Amino acid sequence: MLAPVAEAAGIGLAIQQIDSSQFPKVRVYVSVADSGGVPITGLDDQAFQLVEDGKPVTSIRSQPIIDSQEPVAVVFIIDVSGSMNDAGKMDSAKQAATAFVDTMGPNDSAALISFSDTVKIDQGYTNDKAALKKAIAQLAAKGDTAIYDAVSQAAVLQGAVPQRRKVMLLMTDGDDNRSKQSLDGAISAAKASGAPLFAIGLGNDVKKDVLTRLATSTGGQAIFAATGDQLKQIFLSIGDQLRREYVIEYTSTLPADDQSHGLDVKATYRGQDSQVKGSFVAHKPQLALNVTGLTNATKVTGVQTINISLTSGSVQQIELLVDDKSEGTVTQAPFVFQWDTSKETAGIHKVVIRAKDPTGTTTDREFAVEVVPPTPAVTSTPARPAAGPTVAAVPSPTAVPTPVPAPASTNPIYYAIAGGVALVVIVGGLLAFLLLRRPRAPAPVAAPPPPAPREQPAVTDRTEAILPPVEATVVGGNATVISGMATPSTPRLPKGKLIVVQNGAKSEFTIQQAETILGREATNPVVIRDPMASRRHAKIVIENGEFWIEDLKSLNGTRVNGEVITRRKLVSNDQIKIGDATVTFVTE
């Protein structure tokens, strides 16, 4: 159990995300925790109340999500002012942030922002845990405290990330004494980001009312710790809340007007309740854009070439805005902008690609980048060659022609050589005549050659020649083809298939291995996309020509024909239940 770390009694409620992308259907993701940050589980529809623009929502449906696989984007906002050097607070903050990184899933990402006199992006969004830990380890404390500037700039980053689930995690040990931005300005920016802010106050010098306003205005939480050794526990409890949450679904009665609307969420648990405010946009159908040449939370310099293409819909014009100031408009393809960043001040800027369709509806793609001045070119004077003696070039030798011999008819030696050659030819001919007249010995009789072996057909692979090929099998809807040649040592497996019905969709999977894993993990042969399914929930094995199903110690259990099982033999038409998914086993 976690020791209490939040000073306020009662329960904590945070809105992790409001998804209105499929408006009028709205999905609200919330986490509920006790005063110690421990997630509260087992709540039903009656535990939640929603009020939309002042009017109660009459029909809702809630369900728990445990260890959701949907990616989460986190931005750490860490105070590195001089006071963080006191009492080991800086080291405690580093250890806490590092522990949180260790809990991140493979699809989660995080960025690191530090602040003192100024705000700095120490690490852009990445799922590389080693890179995040390295950036955290390099934090050093000095200077004043610019909390509001840091929150405002982190909100710009979070507002631009594509993930639907995102959170800002602020840790500070003091009050703002350096920001150019006001508290109200920081709150406004944080609310616009669509990300809840978890504000962690360390020590006695923090302004609790300020951090509470920052957190609750975004649907987040404020948590206060007396000493640095509590930070790791707080960070881990927040990470646990992100992975144990509830999704509340309802159908809005508001018009699709592309306007922001308020949503109040209230949770009740054992006579205690908590309420937070959120907002969402009643979206009209939007254009779909693809932007290349800009990446969120990166550094840019010089001229940036930005290309925009449409993946759906039609467009009347596309506009480039930097810090809400128009930098140009394109009305026909190709949609390309050349953004000269040298004309901008150094620092973080909001860049928006705004497309307008023929009806006047606009669609924005937002980015936050840091403009850095170009590195000045270093010019150098080429070194003069050292003085030395001048070496004269040596001309190549002139080729000497080969003397041509005089004609043979004018050379007396020719006659002498010709006569000697004629004498040798005459003597050699006489000797050959005498040798040919000698009687010859009979030639030995050669043994008859062995009979040629019968021609065999060429076989390059004995297995291929003897055994029939295994049929290619298509797995699921992704058409992953597995093919190969049978081997004498591989027995032929009995045939079976699984008919999976989940979320109203039906799919079939051929069982073609001795062991088939079912669960939520994407690498499983059979993926069960249900929040009540474990990553590796159950497995089907083939033993002695029979099919068996075994529960892999799943959190919510495996049922066959309505009975909870540990291990059981399968027969044709058995129904397997994993969460709300139904899997029918059929033998062939």
Side-chain angles (χ1 to χ4, degrees):
M1 294 294 293
L2 298 175
V5 293
E7 292 187 1
I11 63 175
L13 174 65
I15 299 176
Q16 303 291 352
Q17 170 200 351
I18 300 179
D19 179 13
S20 60
S21 60
Q22 304 298 320
F23 190 83
K25 294 186 180 297
V26 181
R27 294 166 63 93
V28 187
Y29 295 81
V30 300
S31 59
V32 188
D34 62 18
S35 59
V38 178
I40 297 173
T41 59
L43 300 181
D44 56 15
D45 296 352
Q46 286 68 38
F48 299 101
Q49 297 178 20
L50 303 184
V51 177
E52 185 183 67
D53 276 358
K55 297 180 180 180
V57 178
T58 57
S59 180
I60 65 172
R61 178 176 178 267
S62 66
Q63 62 178 342
I65 298 178
I66 300 175
D67 197 15
S68 171
Q69 293 297 293
E70 186 173 3
V72 181
V74 180
V75 58
F76 296 102
I77 314 169
I78 305 297
D79 186 345
V80 293
S81 60
S83 58
M84 287 292 292
N85 284 320
D86 301 338
K89 290 186 285 187
M90 191 73 253
D91 289 338
S92 296
K94 291 180 181 181
Q95 293 171 9
T98 299
F100 187 100
V101 170
D102 285 331
T103 69
M104 290 171 51
N107 298 321
D108 297 339
S109 61
L112 175 63
I113 286 181
S114 62
F115 65 93
S116 55
D117 294 336
T118 58
V119 181
K120 179 183 177 184
I121 300 177
D122 298 279
Q123 173 63 56
Y125 287 98
T126 181
N127 59 3
D128 186 339
K129 294 184 179 181
L132 286 166
K133 291 180 180 179
K134 180 179 179 181
I136 292 169
Q138 293 175 346
L139 295 177
K142 63 177 180 178
D144 292 330
T145 309
I147 298 176
Y148 307 151
D149 286 351
V151 170
S152 299
Q153 295 193 29
V156 172
L157 292 182
Q158 282 291 72
V161 296
Q163 287 89 336
R164 293 189 298 177
R165 296 182 64 206
K166 47 193 177 182
V167 63
M168 293 184 285
L169 207 161
L170 167 68
M171 199 293 300
T172 182
D173 73 334
D175 186 21
D176 190 294
N177 58 11
R178 190 73 177 188
S179 288
K180 298 177 182 178
Q181 181 65 274
S182 65
L183 172 59
D184 289 339
I187 291 174
S188 177
K191 291 173 65 176
S193 72
L197 174 76
F198 285 80
I200 303 170
L202 175 59
N204 298 322
D205 295 331
V206 295
K207 294 292 185 181
K208 296 179 181 178
D209 58 334
V210 170
L211 295 184
T212 300
R213 281 190 62 192
L214 276 169
T216 57
S217 66
T218 64
Q221 285 179 271
I223 307 173
F224 304 101
T227 59
D229 56 7
Q230 293 177 310
L231 288 179
K232 181 177 179 180
Q233 175 184 324
I234 296 173
F235 273 63
L236 291 178
S237 71
I238 294 172
D240 201 16
Q241 289 185 49
L242 294 177
R243 288 160 180 80
R244 292 177 178 269
E245 57 186 359
Y246 296 87
V247 57
I248 308 170
E249 301 176 321
Y250 73 97
T251 301
S252 176
T253 58
L254 297 173
D257 54 8
D258 276 342
Q259 300 297 314
S260 179
H261 298 271
L263 183 68
D264 296 347
V265 182
K266 181 179 180 180
T268 304
Y269 177 70
R270 293 183 178 178
Q272 298 177 330
D273 58 56
S274 181
Q275 184 171 334
V276 291
K277 296 181 179 293
S279 63
F280 67 94
V281 175
H283 289 292
K284 294 179 180 178
Q286 295 185 336
L287 296 170
L289 304 177
N290 182 45
V291 180
T292 59
L294 275 182
T295 302
N296 197 44
T298 55
K299 302 180 187 298
V300 296
T301 187
V303 177
Q304 300 294 308
T305 300
I306 306 171
N307 292 276
I308 302 99
S309 59
L310 297 180
T311 57
S312 66
S314 59
V315 68
Q316 187 180 57
Q317 70 173 32
I318 296 181
E319 186 178 14
L320 171 66
L321 300 99
V322 179
D323 296 333
D324 298 324
K325 178 183 176 183
S326 178
E327 296 291 339
T329 301
V330 181
T331 57
Q332 59 183 7
F335 302 105
V336 181
F337 293 98
Q338 299 288 339
W339 178 33
D340 187 357
T341 64
S342 65
K343 298 180 180 179
E344 311 291 345
T345 58
I348 298 175
H349 293 268
K350 181 176 74 172
V351 181
V352 175
I353 305 298
R354 177 167 296 164
K356 181 186 294 185
D357 68 11
T359 67
T361 302
T362 59
T363 297
D364 288 357
R365 284 290 305 277
E366 187 172 319
F367 302 84
V369 296
E370 182 178 0
V371 173
V372 296
T375 303
V378 179
T379 58
S380 58
T381 304
R384 298 180 61 183
T390 302
V391 181
V394 180
S396 58
T398 303
V400 179
T402 304
V404 179
S409 58
T410 62
N411 195 334
I413 298 176
Y414 168 79
Y415 297 103
I417 294 174
V421 171
L423 180 63
V424 171
V425 172
I426 293 171
V427 173
L430 291 174
L431 290 175
F433 175 77
L434 293 175
L435 289 173
L436 289 174
R437 288 183 60 83
R438 295 177 60 186
R440 300 180 181 177
V445 179
R454 295 180 62 188
E455 183 178 355
Q456 300 290 334
V459 178
T460 58
D461 188 332
R462 298 297 298 170
T463 302
E464 183 177 350
I466 297 172
L467 298 176
V470 176
E471 295 179 356
T473 305
V474 179
V475 182
N478 292 328
T480 302
V481 179
I482 304 174
S483 61
M485 303 307 300
T487 62
S489 61
T490 304
R492 183 177 295 275
L493 296 175
K495 292 185 178 181
K497 68 178 180 180
L498 302 175
I499 303 173
V500 182
V501 178
Q502 50 185 338
N503 299 324
K506 179 180 177 182
S507 55
E508 294 187 7
F509 300 85
T510 299
I511 300 176
Q512 54 188 5
Q513 299 175 352
E515 179 177 292
T516 302
I517 303 295
L518 297 82
R520 204 176 63 247
E521 193 169 273
T523 57
N524 291 333
V526 181
V527 179
I528 304 297
R529 297 180 177 87
D530 190 282
M532 302 301 290
S534 298
R535 293 177 184 272
R536 292 168 59 86
H537 195 100
K539 68 177 178 181
I540 296 175
V541 296
I542 302 175
E543 296 178 357
N544 301 322
E546 297 177 330
F547 292 88
W548 292 77
I549 184 168
E550 180 179 338
D551 184 79
L552 298 178
K553 298 181 180 180
S554 64
L555 184 64
N556 296 298
T558 303
R559 290 175 171 80
V560 177
N561 300 332
E563 297 181 4
V564 178
I565 61 97
T566 301
R567 178 179 166 86
R568 172 171 171 162
K569 179 182 174 181
L570 289 172
V571 297
S572 191
N573 295 319
D574 274 349
Q575 283 202 344
I576 306 164
K577 286 287 288 186
I578 298 177
D580 290 334
T582 301
V583 182
T584 303
F585 168 75
V586 180
T587 57
E588 298 181 357

